[in-house]
Amino acid sequence: MQPRAVLLFDIDGVIRDVSGSYRRAIAETVHHFGGWRPEPQQIDDLKAEGHWNNDWQASLELLRRGGLQPLPAMAAVVEVFGQLYFGGDPDADPDSWRGFIRSEPLLVQPSFFEVLAQAGIAWGFVSGAEPPSCRYVLQQRLGLVDPPLIAMGEAPEKPDPSGFLRLGLTLATTPTDGVLPLAYLGDTVADVHTVVAARRQRPDLQLLSLAVAPPHLHPAQQSRARAGYEQGLRAAGADQILPSTASLEPDQLLTWLQAAPFSAPSPPAA
């Protein structure tokens, strides 16, 4: 089917639950260097500031705010974090990994992407996670064949919209229909700010920011924290808040996209 729209996804907290992997690696990295573990709410609060999408930098910032002096070198943080998360060489066979990455529940199934494609929605991924981690979940666990992907190191970090716009325009530009409406689904303020920044750069595009609270906030006992987190996503500029990634309905998405903020450039003066 000819695409009618494009939907790009963040991966962590959207496609897979990283509360026991990436977020655990943040806490354990802080503990390794500082002797204390940040609570999940502390990590949420840091992420809510909108510019700590990189978990290595987030770990270092938590150590700084915790008063550790001197701070470890970034290279040391990356080494410890990687051993915790991958538990082996990231470029080696994933079967050799023994780290936290092996405990990441999937939040969608392969059929989810088949339904999108059948509805005329092209899809891809823009993530701040390391390329081996992204390929592992998308290709080996979900079985997606050559999924369109921009990962860490392949574009400036979010909320810089460069990666989002590059992949989005690649998928959304058609020879007959111009540029299709484009949406991005993420779970952090940085993800929302990415779409907001893209609108500033390309006011001629029809862009939609979708957001979902990360899985660790979904249990009933976290309802108050989840409501506060979702309020922060709305305040950052999210157009729609989803109850979960898997709940996304193609027809509803297409309706939202048709009403998405759209600011065409002013015509040239006569």
Side-chain angles (χ1 to χ4, degrees):
M1 175 180 290
Q2 182 72 20
R4 302 161 61 191
V6 174
L7 173 59
L8 300 182
F9 298 88
D10 184 25
I11 294 176
D12 300 340
V14 175
I15 300 300
R16 62 181 170 189
D17 182 352
V18 295
S19 56
S21 59
Y22 269 123
R23 283 176 174 259
R24 183 181 174 191
I26 292 174
E28 293 302 323
T29 298
V30 171
H31 181 260
H32 176 87
F33 290 105
W36 62 282
R37 291 181 179 87
E39 296 293 330
Q41 186 63 52
Q42 290 177 277
I43 298 175
D44 285 344
D45 290 345
L46 187 72
K47 295 281 188 179
E49 294 177 12
H51 45 266
W52 300 107
N53 195 61
N54 182 306
D55 288 343
W56 302 332
Q57 294 177 359
S59 300
L60 196 60
E61 178 63 13
L62 286 166
L63 287 166
R64 187 190 70 78
R65 296 186 186 188
L68 181 66
Q69 292 295 334
L71 289 172
M74 177 58 79
V77 171
V78 172
E79 175 66 22
V80 169
F81 192 102
Q83 284 301 314
L84 289 164
Y85 179 71
F86 287 104
D89 182 355
D91 296 319
D93 185 336
D95 287 340
S96 69
W97 296 343
R98 294 294 179 266
F100 300 159
I101 191 172
R102 299 182 68 87
S103 59
E104 293 180 332
L106 294 175
L107 301 174
V108 295
Q109 298 302 316
S111 58
F112 175 78
F113 300 100
E114 296 171 5
V115 170
L116 290 177
Q118 290 167 2
I121 299 168
W123 44 262
F125 305 89
V126 179
S127 171
E130 302 97 316
S133 173
C134 294
R135 290 192 295 268
Y136 173 67
V137 68
L138 298 178
Q139 295 177 279
Q140 292 193 231
R141 297 196 61 200
L142 283 169
L144 304 179
V145 179
D146 295 325
L149 168 68
I150 288 182
M152 176 187 284
E154 298 173 346
E157 293 178 3
K158 297 176 288 187
D160 186 304
S162 301
F164 166 69
L165 286 172
R166 186 201 314 165
L167 184 58
L169 289 172
T170 297
L171 297 175
T173 302
T174 72
T176 56
D177 298 325
V179 181
L180 301 173
L182 174 61
Y184 186 51
L185 173 56
D187 73 319
T188 68
V189 168
D191 294 326
V192 176
H193 283 173
T194 298
V195 179
V196 173
R199 285 182 182 139
R200 296 193 189 103
Q201 288 193 19
R202 292 296 306 268
D204 57 309
L205 301 179
Q206 199 162 3
L207 304 176
L208 183 75
S209 172
L210 303 176
V212 60
H216 69 276
L217 295 178
H218 285 225
Q221 63 268 30
Q222 294 294 326
S223 59
R224 181 173 297 181
R226 178 177 175 179
Y229 192 97
E230 292 176 344
Q231 183 177 2
L233 293 171
R234 290 190 185 90
D239 298 303
Q240 299 289 340
I241 305 293
L242 302 180
S244 68
T245 302
S247 71
L248 181 63
E249 296 287 344
D251 288 345
Q252 183 66 74
L253 173 62
L254 292 169
T255 298
W256 286 336
L257 279 165
Q258 291 303 315
F262 185 88
S263 179
S266 301

